[in-house]
């Protein structure tokens, strides 16, 4: 069975993830993800990068859902999301070496999976 990867399907899927995060305010994935990071050098960068990814993802979803599409803007948003995700991937891999607690590492990996 093939997975439908059409932009509108992905936008609805992303919107569902973002709405679920909004409905459950007691679960703050960014705060949970960085609690217990031993060295404070990585935590602020991680939080900023994750916040940027979510802001770009929200804008991307809004553009598709409103059908207000500008190809250049959508391409720029996609490129930004990919670049931010790649940097987050590197940071998540670095967390165990920075002294992060095992639960923190699990939380960040869960966040990565949801992205």
């Amino acid at each position: 069975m093939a997975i439908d990867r059409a932009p509108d399907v992905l936008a609805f899927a992303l919107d569902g993830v973002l709405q679920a995060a909004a409905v459950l305010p007691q679960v703050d994935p960014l705060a949970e993800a960085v609690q217990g990071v031993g060295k404070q050098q990585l935590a602020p960068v991680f939080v900023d990068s994750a916040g940027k990814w979510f802001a770009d993802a929200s804008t991307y979803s809004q553009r598709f859902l409103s059908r207000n599409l500008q190809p250049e803007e959508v391409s720029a948003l996609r490129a930004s999301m990919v670049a931010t995700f790649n940097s987050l991937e590197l940071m998540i891999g670095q967390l165990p070496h920075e002294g992060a607690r095992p639960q923190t590492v699990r939380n960040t990996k869960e966040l990565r999976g949801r992205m």
Side-chain angles (χ1 to χ4, degrees):
M1 176 181 208
I3 297 174
D4 187 0
R5 295 180 186 260
D8 57 338
V9 172
L10 293 175
F12 280 117
L14 181 59
D15 186 54
V17 170
L18 294 175
Q19 284 183 4
V23 172
L24 302 171
Q26 70 274 13
V27 177
D28 182 357
L30 297 182
E32 282 186 20
V34 296
Q35 284 179 351
V37 174
K39 297 183 180 179
Q40 294 302 315
Q41 299 167 0
L42 188 58
V45 177
F46 183 87
V47 170
D48 289 344
S49 294
K52 180 179 178 352
W53 187 91
F54 278 109
D56 288 345
S58 178
T59 302
Y60 184 82
S61 293
Q62 289 172 356
R63 295 295 184 265
F64 273 100
L65 293 174
S66 69
R67 299 293 185 199
N68 181 14
L69 303 172
Q70 299 298 327
E72 300 82 20
E73 182 184 18
V74 171
S75 293
L77 284 169
R78 282 185 193 156
S80 176
M81 289 169 59
V82 168
T84 303
F85 181 81
N86 288 340
S87 70
L88 285 168
E89 188 86 306
L90 293 172
M91 286 185 251
I92 290 170
Q94 188 62 29
L95 284 175
H97 307 290
E98 293 284 326
R101 295 179 307 181
Q103 183 62 43
T104 301
V105 174
R106 283 192 297 275
N107 288 344
T108 56
K109 288 180 179 179
E110 176 68 23
L111 179 64
R112 176 186 62 196
R114 291 175 184 238
M115 291 174 141

